[in-house]
Amino acid sequence: MTGDRQRFTPLQRLLHWLMAVCILAMLFIGVGMVSTVKPKYLTLVSIHKPLGIAILALALVRLAVRLRYGTPPLPADLPEPMKLAAQLSHYALYVLMIGMPLLGWGMLSALFGGVHLPAILPQSDGLHTLLWNAHFYLAFVFFALILLHLAAALFHALVRRDGVFDAMAPVSSHHEIAPAE
Amino acid sequence: MAQPHQSSARSMFGSLALIAVVIGCGAAAFAYTAGWFSPQRLTPDKMVDALKPPTGEPLGHRRNHAKGICFTGVFEANGAGTALSHAQVFTRGQYPVVGRFNLGTADPNAPDATVRVRGMGLRISTPDGQEWRSAMIDPPIFPVSTPQAFYELLLASASKDPNAMKTFAAARPEFAAFGAWATSGPWTGSYAEERYNGLNSFVFTDSSGAERTVRWSLLPAAQPMSVSPDDLAKRGPDFLEQEITERLRGGPLRWTMVVTVANPGDPTADPSKAWPEDRRTVEVGTLTVEQIEPERNGPCRDINFDPTVLPSGMRTSDDPFPAARSSVYAKSYDLRTAEAKDYPRTAKDAKP
């Protein structure tokens, strides 16, 4: 952890916002495709699968970049429960970013004759059901966590104004702030 | 310094309100996309619910065309189909087939004579790793024009209201043609004597990139022999499965695959409308059924005959049914695999 940096590196910020767009699109496509019989069903499914693999690849790159460059420190005056919540929610986000595509991929592997990707699991009725349920319900957990993440980010940006949001903002809004503040 | 304090309290309240609005809108957009605000939206779940037969959910079985028997064989392409599509399945050669004769009922135990619609699921695999899956039925046209109308048909047929079907037929006049076939069309005593029609249209692309909208059918080599429904009712509940097993002992069974090309302006989006008789047809090959196996342990059991699984050189058209079938078949597949214990493979040759 390099504690002296105030903001995430440009690469980390790029990955964050790119993945934010991809993951939100992915979650909306997911709930949309399982609730329609219209022709867009096929279009949505055909985006969902490759986009999932793209997110998996981006998440692994992002994890490596994070291990290499670390994160800026949280504000010293942040109450301990908030610090803990911040850390735990970020672990959960990483688990889901990597886990959801793997569950989806595994699900297609366990399905009979389902994928053009190499199968990562054997075909199995029981396994398919387990993975399908996990993939489905975790999608809602994932979205709830993203809303929580967004609420916390806005809380830092608008209420606490402690620089946490600025650390990940695409462009810094505080570059001319007087040191006194 | 009351003034700044008040204004900062106000600004903090405003910020919290803004956050609440942003989160609320995000959650609402997600719920809307998931259909939670649209009870009218036709979902795969609703379609599957509407398919439920009076005998109860067919646990472990397909949600429709629940009764069936597996077959294996080959599709021998004669090469003529390459004029329509560059899919490998049309280049002259033999390609392995796994298929399923089935009945258009959601009750896996329905007596064969009680089911009007008979079908065939087909999966042809080619060496390039691609598959052509299709599920065809024996009526010459589909009962209705849209998936929504099919859903209404399911509700009407299950309804206790004695006028439900009359009301439905009045609202969906296209149903009359199917109704006429169902009441006065011939019945046969064998899966081997049926013509199986794809009914849905698809777009074929040839090697020059030219596109044509087509439908396909399998024409039986066996001569259809008309049998009255009353006579069929006297046969055993599984007479079709027994007959096809018995008939195959006398040698393989054949169908000719014929692709019909639409003219511009033909109703490609509506499987309840036949195309005029004079349309160009191309005989693309022969399906040979070589072996029959019961579904329980058979090779077709786990296949989802999803009509949108197509090789390159074929794609879906403006016909709304293949997408709807794909979404509902996926739901049916998820359900029946989750219920595999209710339809166990027999121990003798169960999978390891």
Side-chain angles (χ1 to χ4, degrees), chain A residues 24-82:
Chain A
L24 280 175
M26 193 66 179
L27 288 166
F28 276 87
I29 288 170
V31 290
M33 75 187 196
V34 296
S35 63
T36 185
V37 303
K38 294 225 166 93
K40 67 184 171 206
Y41 167 80
L42 296 176
T43 315
L44 294 175
V45 172
S46 70
I47 300 171
H48 195 79
K49 292 176 186 175
L51 186 56
I53 295 300
I55 290 172
L56 176 61
L58 285 171
L60 293 174
V61 170
R62 186 164 167 196
L63 184 64
V65 170
R66 185 185 173 117
L67 293 175
R68 168 77 181 77
Y69 295 104
T71 59
L74 288 168
D77 66 339
L78 196 67
E80 275 309 317
M82 282 180 81

Short mmCIF file of all heavy atoms in Angstrom, two decimals, chain A residues 24-82:
data_model
loop_
_atom_site.label_atom_id
_atom_site.label_comp_id
_atom_site.label_asym_id
_atom_site.label_seq_id
_atom_site.Cartn_x
_atom_site.Cartn_y
_atom_site.Cartn_z
N LEU A 24 -22.89 -2.24 -14.75
CA LEU A 24 -24.28 -1.78 -14.70
C LEU A 24 -25.04 -2.27 -15.93
O LEU A 24 -26.16 -2.77 -15.82
CB LEU A 24 -24.33 -0.25 -14.60
CG LEU A 24 -24.10 0.30 -13.20
CD1 LEU A 24 -24.05 1.82 -13.21
CD2 LEU A 24 -25.20 -0.18 -12.24
N ALA A 25 -24.42 -2.15 -17.09
CA ALA A 25 -25.06 -2.64 -18.32
C ALA A 25 -25.36 -4.13 -18.17
O ALA A 25 -26.46 -4.61 -18.49
CB ALA A 25 -24.16 -2.39 -19.52
N MET A 26 -24.40 -4.86 -17.65
CA MET A 26 -24.52 -6.31 -17.49
C MET A 26 -25.70 -6.68 -16.59
O MET A 26 -26.48 -7.59 -16.89
CB MET A 26 -23.21 -6.79 -16.86
CG MET A 26 -23.02 -8.25 -16.89
SD MET A 26 -22.87 -8.78 -18.60
CE MET A 26 -22.64 -10.50 -18.29
N LEU A 27 -25.82 -5.97 -15.46
CA LEU A 27 -26.89 -6.29 -14.52
C LEU A 27 -28.26 -5.96 -15.11
O LEU A 27 -29.22 -6.73 -14.97
CB LEU A 27 -26.68 -5.54 -13.20
CG LEU A 27 -25.50 -6.07 -12.37
CD1 LEU A 27 -25.12 -5.09 -11.27
CD2 LEU A 27 -25.84 -7.43 -11.76
N PHE A 28 -28.35 -4.83 -15.81
CA PHE A 28 -29.63 -4.48 -16.44
C PHE A 28 -29.96 -5.46 -17.56
O PHE A 28 -31.11 -5.89 -17.72
CB PHE A 28 -29.60 -3.03 -16.96
CG PHE A 28 -29.93 -2.02 -15.89
CD1 PHE A 28 -28.95 -1.51 -15.06
CD2 PHE A 28 -31.24 -1.61 -15.68
CE1 PHE A 28 -29.26 -0.60 -14.05
CE2 PHE A 28 -31.56 -0.70 -14.68
CZ PHE A 28 -30.56 -0.19 -13.87
N ILE A 29 -28.96 -5.82 -18.36
CA ILE A 29 -29.19 -6.80 -19.43
C ILE A 29 -29.66 -8.12 -18.82
O ILE A 29 -30.61 -8.75 -19.29
CB ILE A 29 -27.90 -7.00 -20.26
CG1 ILE A 29 -27.65 -5.78 -21.12
CG2 ILE A 29 -28.00 -8.26 -21.12
CD1 ILE A 29 -26.28 -5.77 -21.80
N GLY A 30 -29.02 -8.51 -17.73
CA GLY A 30 -29.36 -9.78 -17.08
C GLY A 30 -30.80 -9.84 -16.62
O GLY A 30 -31.54 -10.76 -16.98
N VAL A 31 -31.24 -8.84 -15.83
CA VAL A 31 -32.63 -8.90 -15.35
C VAL A 31 -33.61 -8.67 -16.48
O VAL A 31 -34.73 -9.18 -16.45
CB VAL A 31 -32.94 -7.91 -14.19
CG1 VAL A 31 -32.25 -8.32 -12.94
CG2 VAL A 31 -32.65 -6.48 -14.56
N GLY A 32 -33.18 -7.92 -17.50
CA GLY A 32 -34.06 -7.69 -18.64
C GLY A 32 -34.25 -8.96 -19.45
O GLY A 32 -35.37 -9.30 -19.84
N MET A 33 -33.18 -9.71 -19.68
CA MET A 33 -33.29 -10.85 -20.60
C MET A 33 -34.08 -12.01 -19.98
O MET A 33 -34.74 -12.74 -20.71
CB MET A 33 -31.91 -11.32 -21.06
CG MET A 33 -31.10 -12.07 -20.05
SD MET A 33 -29.43 -12.38 -20.67
CE MET A 33 -28.90 -13.67 -19.54
N VAL A 34 -34.01 -12.16 -18.65
CA VAL A 34 -34.77 -13.28 -18.07
C VAL A 34 -36.24 -12.93 -17.88
O VAL A 34 -37.01 -13.75 -17.40
CB VAL A 34 -34.17 -13.78 -16.73
CG1 VAL A 34 -32.79 -14.35 -16.95
CG2 VAL A 34 -34.17 -12.70 -15.67
N SER A 35 -36.64 -11.70 -18.24
CA SER A 35 -38.04 -11.33 -18.03
C SER A 35 -38.72 -10.92 -19.33
O SER A 35 -39.68 -10.18 -19.31
CB SER A 35 -38.13 -10.21 -17.01
OG SER A 35 -37.48 -9.06 -17.49
N THR A 36 -38.20 -11.39 -20.46
CA THR A 36 -38.88 -11.08 -21.72
C THR A 36 -38.84 -12.27 -22.67
O THR A 36 -37.91 -13.09 -22.61
CB THR A 36 -38.24 -9.86 -22.40
OG1 THR A 36 -39.02 -9.54 -23.57
CG2 THR A 36 -36.80 -10.12 -22.84
N VAL A 37 -39.88 -12.34 -23.52
CA VAL A 37 -39.89 -13.36 -24.58
C VAL A 37 -39.76 -12.68 -25.95
O VAL A 37 -39.88 -13.31 -26.97
CB VAL A 37 -41.19 -14.22 -24.55
CG1 VAL A 37 -41.36 -14.88 -23.20
CG2 VAL A 37 -42.42 -13.38 -24.88
N LYS A 38 -39.51 -11.36 -25.93
CA LYS A 38 -39.43 -10.60 -27.18
C LYS A 38 -38.11 -10.89 -27.91
O LYS A 38 -37.16 -11.39 -27.31
CB LYS A 38 -39.52 -9.11 -26.86
CG LYS A 38 -40.88 -8.71 -26.29
CD LYS A 38 -41.34 -7.44 -26.96
CE LYS A 38 -42.81 -7.19 -26.68
NZ LYS A 38 -43.03 -6.34 -25.53
N PRO A 39 -38.05 -10.54 -29.21
CA PRO A 39 -36.81 -10.79 -29.96
C PRO A 39 -35.57 -10.20 -29.32
O PRO A 39 -34.46 -10.72 -29.48
CB PRO A 39 -37.11 -10.15 -31.32
CG PRO A 39 -38.59 -10.29 -31.47
CD PRO A 39 -39.15 -10.09 -30.10
N LYS A 40 -35.72 -9.12 -28.53
CA LYS A 40 -34.53 -8.54 -27.89
C LYS A 40 -33.89 -9.54 -26.91
O LYS A 40 -32.73 -9.37 -26.53
CB LYS A 40 -34.88 -7.23 -27.19
CG LYS A 40 -35.81 -7.37 -26.01
CD LYS A 40 -36.19 -6.01 -25.43
CE LYS A 40 -37.29 -6.20 -24.39
NZ LYS A 40 -38.13 -5.03 -24.22
N TYR A 41 -34.65 -10.56 -26.51
CA TYR A 41 -34.08 -11.60 -25.65
C TYR A 41 -32.78 -12.14 -26.24
O TYR A 41 -31.76 -12.26 -25.56
CB TYR A 41 -35.09 -12.74 -25.46
CG TYR A 41 -34.50 -14.00 -24.85
CD1 TYR A 41 -34.30 -14.09 -23.48
CD2 TYR A 41 -34.13 -15.08 -25.65
CE1 TYR A 41 -33.75 -15.24 -22.92
CE2 TYR A 41 -33.59 -16.22 -25.11
CZ TYR A 41 -33.39 -16.30 -23.74
OH TYR A 41 -32.83 -17.43 -23.20
N LEU A 42 -32.83 -12.46 -27.55
CA LEU A 42 -31.65 -13.05 -28.20
C LEU A 42 -30.50 -12.06 -28.24
O LEU A 42 -29.34 -12.43 -28.02
CB LEU A 42 -32.01 -13.50 -29.62
CG LEU A 42 -33.05 -14.62 -29.71
CD1 LEU A 42 -33.40 -14.90 -31.17
CD2 LEU A 42 -32.54 -15.89 -29.04
N THR A 43 -30.82 -10.79 -28.52
CA THR A 43 -29.78 -9.76 -28.56
C THR A 43 -29.13 -9.62 -27.19
O THR A 43 -27.90 -9.57 -27.05
CB THR A 43 -30.40 -8.41 -28.98
OG1 THR A 43 -31.28 -8.63 -30.07
CG2 THR A 43 -29.33 -7.40 -29.33
N LEU A 44 -29.98 -9.56 -26.15
CA LEU A 44 -29.46 -9.37 -24.80
C LEU A 44 -28.57 -10.55 -24.39
O LEU A 44 -27.49 -10.35 -23.83
CB LEU A 44 -30.63 -9.20 -23.81
CG LEU A 44 -31.47 -7.92 -24.02
CD1 LEU A 44 -32.67 -7.91 -23.07
CD2 LEU A 44 -30.62 -6.68 -23.79
N VAL A 45 -29.03 -11.77 -24.69
CA VAL A 45 -28.21 -12.94 -24.32
C VAL A 45 -26.87 -12.90 -25.07
O VAL A 45 -25.82 -13.21 -24.50
CB VAL A 45 -28.96 -14.26 -24.66
CG1 VAL A 45 -28.05 -15.46 -24.47
CG2 VAL A 45 -30.20 -14.40 -23.78
N SER A 46 -26.93 -12.46 -26.33
CA SER A 46 -25.69 -12.47 -27.12
C SER A 46 -24.71 -11.39 -26.65
O SER A 46 -23.53 -11.47 -26.95
CB SER A 46 -26.00 -12.32 -28.61
OG SER A 46 -26.46 -11.01 -28.87
N ILE A 47 -25.19 -10.38 -25.94
CA ILE A 47 -24.28 -9.39 -25.34
C ILE A 47 -23.81 -9.88 -23.97
O ILE A 47 -22.65 -9.72 -23.58
CB ILE A 47 -24.98 -8.02 -25.18
CG1 ILE A 47 -25.43 -7.49 -26.54
CG2 ILE A 47 -24.04 -7.01 -24.51
CD1 ILE A 47 -26.32 -6.24 -26.43
N HIS A 48 -24.74 -10.49 -23.23
CA HIS A 48 -24.49 -10.86 -21.84
C HIS A 48 -23.26 -11.77 -21.71
O HIS A 48 -22.42 -11.57 -20.83
CB HIS A 48 -25.73 -11.56 -21.28
CG HIS A 48 -25.75 -11.68 -19.78
ND1 HIS A 48 -26.10 -10.65 -18.95
CD2 HIS A 48 -25.49 -12.73 -18.96
CE1 HIS A 48 -26.04 -11.05 -17.69
NE2 HIS A 48 -25.68 -12.32 -17.66
N LYS A 49 -23.16 -12.76 -22.60
CA LYS A 49 -22.09 -13.75 -22.44
C LYS A 49 -20.70 -13.15 -22.71
O LYS A 49 -19.82 -13.24 -21.84
CB LYS A 49 -22.37 -14.96 -23.32
CG LYS A 49 -23.59 -15.75 -22.81
CD LYS A 49 -23.96 -16.90 -23.73
CE LYS A 49 -25.26 -17.54 -23.26
NZ LYS A 49 -25.71 -18.59 -24.18
N PRO A 50 -20.46 -12.52 -23.87
CA PRO A 50 -19.11 -11.97 -24.08
C PRO A 50 -18.79 -10.82 -23.13
O PRO A 50 -17.63 -10.68 -22.70
CB PRO A 50 -19.14 -11.48 -25.54
CG PRO A 50 -20.56 -11.43 -25.93
CD PRO A 50 -21.30 -12.40 -25.07
N LEU A 51 -19.80 -10.03 -22.77
CA LEU A 51 -19.54 -8.93 -21.84
C LEU A 51 -19.12 -9.47 -20.47
O LEU A 51 -18.25 -8.90 -19.80
CB LEU A 51 -20.79 -8.04 -21.72
CG LEU A 51 -20.66 -6.76 -20.89
CD1 LEU A 51 -19.52 -5.88 -21.40
CD2 LEU A 51 -21.97 -5.96 -20.90
N GLY A 52 -19.71 -10.58 -20.09
CA GLY A 52 -19.34 -11.21 -18.82
C GLY A 52 -17.87 -11.63 -18.82
O GLY A 52 -17.14 -11.44 -17.84
N ILE A 53 -17.45 -12.20 -19.94
CA ILE A 53 -16.05 -12.63 -20.04
C ILE A 53 -15.13 -11.39 -20.04
O ILE A 53 -14.06 -11.39 -19.41
CB ILE A 53 -15.85 -13.49 -21.31
CG1 ILE A 53 -16.64 -14.80 -21.19
CG2 ILE A 53 -14.37 -13.77 -21.54
CD1 ILE A 53 -16.24 -15.68 -20.01
N ALA A 54 -15.57 -10.32 -20.70
CA ALA A 54 -14.78 -9.09 -20.72
C ALA A 54 -14.63 -8.54 -19.30
O ALA A 54 -13.54 -8.10 -18.89
CB ALA A 54 -15.43 -8.05 -21.63
N ILE A 55 -15.71 -8.58 -18.53
CA ILE A 55 -15.67 -8.07 -17.15
C ILE A 55 -14.73 -8.93 -16.31
O ILE A 55 -13.95 -8.41 -15.50
CB ILE A 55 -17.08 -8.03 -16.54
CG1 ILE A 55 -17.90 -6.92 -17.21
CG2 ILE A 55 -17.03 -7.83 -15.04
CD1 ILE A 55 -19.38 -6.89 -16.82
N LEU A 56 -14.77 -10.25 -16.53
CA LEU A 56 -13.86 -11.13 -15.79
C LEU A 56 -12.40 -10.75 -16.08
O LEU A 56 -11.60 -10.61 -15.16
CB LEU A 56 -14.12 -12.59 -16.19
CG LEU A 56 -13.19 -13.64 -15.59
CD1 LEU A 56 -13.29 -13.64 -14.06
CD2 LEU A 56 -13.50 -15.03 -16.13
N ALA A 57 -12.10 -10.54 -17.35
CA ALA A 57 -10.72 -10.18 -17.72
C ALA A 57 -10.32 -8.83 -17.11
O ALA A 57 -9.25 -8.69 -16.51
CB ALA A 57 -10.59 -10.14 -19.24
N LEU A 58 -11.22 -7.85 -17.21
CA LEU A 58 -10.93 -6.52 -16.65
C LEU A 58 -10.76 -6.60 -15.13
O LEU A 58 -9.89 -5.93 -14.56
CB LEU A 58 -12.07 -5.56 -16.99
CG LEU A 58 -12.14 -5.05 -18.43
CD1 LEU A 58 -13.44 -4.28 -18.67
CD2 LEU A 58 -10.93 -4.17 -18.76
N ALA A 59 -11.58 -7.42 -14.48
CA ALA A 59 -11.52 -7.52 -13.01
C ALA A 59 -10.18 -8.12 -12.58
O ALA A 59 -9.60 -7.70 -11.57
CB ALA A 59 -12.68 -8.37 -12.50
N LEU A 60 -9.69 -9.09 -13.36
CA LEU A 60 -8.41 -9.70 -12.99
C LEU A 60 -7.26 -8.70 -13.20
O LEU A 60 -6.36 -8.59 -12.35
CB LEU A 60 -8.18 -10.97 -13.82
CG LEU A 60 -9.17 -12.11 -13.49
CD1 LEU A 60 -8.99 -13.29 -14.45
CD2 LEU A 60 -9.02 -12.57 -12.04
N VAL A 61 -7.33 -7.94 -14.29
CA VAL A 61 -6.33 -6.89 -14.51
C VAL A 61 -6.38 -5.88 -13.36
O VAL A 61 -5.37 -5.48 -12.80
CB VAL A 61 -6.58 -6.17 -15.86
CG1 VAL A 61 -5.71 -4.94 -16.00
CG2 VAL A 61 -6.36 -7.13 -17.03
N ARG A 62 -7.61 -5.52 -13.01
CA ARG A 62 -7.80 -4.51 -11.97
C ARG A 62 -7.26 -4.98 -10.62
O ARG A 62 -6.65 -4.20 -9.88
CB ARG A 62 -9.29 -4.20 -11.87
CG ARG A 62 -9.57 -3.06 -10.93
CD ARG A 62 -10.98 -2.59 -11.18
NE ARG A 62 -11.42 -1.71 -10.11
CZ ARG A 62 -12.69 -1.41 -9.92
NH1 ARG A 62 -13.61 -1.90 -10.72
NH2 ARG A 62 -13.03 -0.61 -8.94
N LEU A 63 -7.49 -6.25 -10.34
CA LEU A 63 -6.99 -6.80 -9.08
C LEU A 63 -5.46 -6.74 -9.06
O LEU A 63 -4.85 -6.34 -8.06
CB LEU A 63 -7.47 -8.25 -8.93
CG LEU A 63 -7.13 -8.95 -7.62
CD1 LEU A 63 -7.81 -8.24 -6.45
CD2 LEU A 63 -7.55 -10.41 -7.66
N ALA A 64 -4.85 -7.10 -10.19
CA ALA A 64 -3.39 -7.07 -10.28
C ALA A 64 -2.88 -5.64 -10.10
O ALA A 64 -1.90 -5.40 -9.37
CB ALA A 64 -2.94 -7.64 -11.62
N VAL A 65 -3.56 -4.70 -10.75
CA VAL A 65 -3.14 -3.29 -10.66
C VAL A 65 -3.27 -2.80 -9.22
O VAL A 65 -2.42 -2.08 -8.70
CB VAL A 65 -3.98 -2.42 -11.63
CG1 VAL A 65 -3.75 -0.94 -11.39
CG2 VAL A 65 -3.67 -2.79 -13.07
N ARG A 66 -4.33 -3.23 -8.57
CA ARG A 66 -4.54 -2.80 -7.19
C ARG A 66 -3.46 -3.37 -6.27
O ARG A 66 -2.96 -2.68 -5.37
CB ARG A 66 -5.92 -3.24 -6.71
CG ARG A 66 -6.25 -2.72 -5.32
CD ARG A 66 -7.57 -3.28 -4.82
NE ARG A 66 -7.79 -2.90 -3.43
CZ ARG A 66 -8.79 -2.12 -3.03
NH1 ARG A 66 -9.66 -1.66 -3.90
NH2 ARG A 66 -8.94 -1.82 -1.76
N LEU A 67 -3.11 -4.64 -6.51
CA LEU A 67 -2.08 -5.25 -5.68
C LEU A 67 -0.74 -4.53 -5.90
O LEU A 67 0.07 -4.39 -5.00
CB LEU A 67 -1.95 -6.74 -5.99
CG LEU A 67 -3.16 -7.58 -5.59
CD1 LEU A 67 -3.01 -9.04 -6.05
CD2 LEU A 67 -3.40 -7.51 -4.08
N ARG A 68 -0.53 -4.05 -7.13
CA ARG A 68 0.72 -3.39 -7.47
C ARG A 68 0.75 -1.95 -6.91
O ARG A 68 1.73 -1.54 -6.31
CB ARG A 68 0.87 -3.38 -8.99
CG ARG A 68 1.97 -2.50 -9.56
CD ARG A 68 3.34 -3.15 -9.36
NE ARG A 68 4.41 -2.29 -9.88
CZ ARG A 68 4.86 -1.21 -9.26
NH1 ARG A 68 4.34 -0.85 -8.10
NH2 ARG A 68 5.84 -0.49 -9.79
N TYR A 69 -0.33 -1.20 -7.11
CA TYR A 69 -0.31 0.23 -6.76
C TYR A 69 -1.03 0.56 -5.46
O TYR A 69 -0.89 1.67 -4.95
CB TYR A 69 -0.92 1.07 -7.89
CG TYR A 69 -0.12 1.03 -9.16
CD1 TYR A 69 -0.53 0.28 -10.25
CD2 TYR A 69 1.07 1.75 -9.26
CE1 TYR A 69 0.21 0.23 -11.42
CE2 TYR A 69 1.83 1.71 -10.43
CZ TYR A 69 1.39 0.94 -11.50
OH TYR A 69 2.13 0.89 -12.65
N GLY A 70 -1.80 -0.35 -4.93
CA GLY A 70 -2.50 -0.09 -3.69
C GLY A 70 -3.61 0.95 -3.84
O GLY A 70 -4.05 1.25 -4.95
N THR A 71 -4.03 1.49 -2.70
CA THR A 71 -5.12 2.47 -2.71
C THR A 71 -4.69 3.67 -1.87
O THR A 71 -3.90 3.52 -0.94
CB THR A 71 -6.39 1.88 -2.08
OG1 THR A 71 -6.08 1.49 -0.74
CG2 THR A 71 -6.89 0.68 -2.85
N PRO A 72 -5.22 4.84 -2.18
CA PRO A 72 -4.95 5.99 -1.30
C PRO A 72 -5.55 5.71 0.08
O PRO A 72 -6.54 4.98 0.18
CB PRO A 72 -5.69 7.14 -1.98
CG PRO A 72 -6.07 6.66 -3.33
CD PRO A 72 -6.13 5.17 -3.27
N PRO A 73 -4.99 6.28 1.14
CA PRO A 73 -5.52 6.00 2.48
C PRO A 73 -6.90 6.64 2.66
O PRO A 73 -7.19 7.67 2.05
CB PRO A 73 -4.50 6.65 3.41
CG PRO A 73 -3.88 7.73 2.58
CD PRO A 73 -3.88 7.23 1.17
N LEU A 74 -7.72 6.00 3.48
CA LEU A 74 -8.98 6.62 3.84
C LEU A 74 -8.68 7.78 4.79
O LEU A 74 -7.66 7.78 5.47
CB LEU A 74 -9.90 5.59 4.51
CG LEU A 74 -10.47 4.52 3.58
CD1 LEU A 74 -11.11 3.39 4.37
CD2 LEU A 74 -11.48 5.15 2.61
N PRO A 75 -9.55 8.77 4.86
CA PRO A 75 -9.29 9.92 5.75
C PRO A 75 -9.11 9.43 7.19
O PRO A 75 -9.82 8.53 7.64
CB PRO A 75 -10.56 10.76 5.63
CG PRO A 75 -11.23 10.29 4.39
CD PRO A 75 -10.82 8.88 4.15
N ALA A 76 -8.15 10.06 7.88
CA ALA A 76 -7.83 9.64 9.24
C ALA A 76 -9.02 9.81 10.17
O ALA A 76 -9.18 9.05 11.13
CB ALA A 76 -6.63 10.43 9.75
N ASP A 77 -9.86 10.80 9.86
CA ASP A 77 -10.97 11.06 10.79
C ASP A 77 -12.22 10.25 10.46
O ASP A 77 -13.27 10.46 11.05
CB ASP A 77 -11.31 12.56 10.77
CG ASP A 77 -11.86 13.00 9.43
OD1 ASP A 77 -11.61 12.29 8.42
OD2 ASP A 77 -12.55 14.04 9.37
N LEU A 78 -12.10 9.32 9.51
CA LEU A 78 -13.27 8.50 9.18
C LEU A 78 -13.55 7.54 10.35
O LEU A 78 -12.64 6.84 10.80
CB LEU A 78 -13.01 7.70 7.89
CG LEU A 78 -14.22 7.11 7.20
CD1 LEU A 78 -15.13 8.21 6.63
CD2 LEU A 78 -13.78 6.18 6.06
N PRO A 79 -14.78 7.53 10.85
CA PRO A 79 -15.06 6.65 11.99
C PRO A 79 -14.76 5.18 11.66
O PRO A 79 -14.95 4.75 10.51
CB PRO A 79 -16.57 6.85 12.22
CG PRO A 79 -16.90 8.14 11.55
CD PRO A 79 -15.94 8.32 10.43
N GLU A 80 -14.32 4.44 12.65
CA GLU A 80 -13.92 3.04 12.45
C GLU A 80 -14.99 2.19 11.78
O GLU A 80 -14.68 1.43 10.85
CB GLU A 80 -13.50 2.41 13.78
CG GLU A 80 -12.05 2.66 14.16
CD GLU A 80 -11.03 2.34 13.07
OE1 GLU A 80 -11.17 1.28 12.41
OE2 GLU A 80 -10.11 3.13 12.85
N PRO A 81 -16.26 2.27 12.20
CA PRO A 81 -17.28 1.42 11.54
C PRO A 81 -17.38 1.72 10.04
O PRO A 81 -17.57 0.80 9.24
CB PRO A 81 -18.59 1.80 12.26
CG PRO A 81 -18.17 2.42 13.54
CD PRO A 81 -16.84 3.05 13.31
N MET A 82 -17.22 2.99 9.66
CA MET A 82 -17.28 3.33 8.23
C MET A 82 -16.07 2.78 7.49
O MET A 82 -16.19 2.33 6.36
CB MET A 82 -17.38 4.85 8.05
CG MET A 82 -18.78 5.38 8.32
SD MET A 82 -18.90 7.17 8.10
CE MET A 82 -19.05 7.29 6.32
#
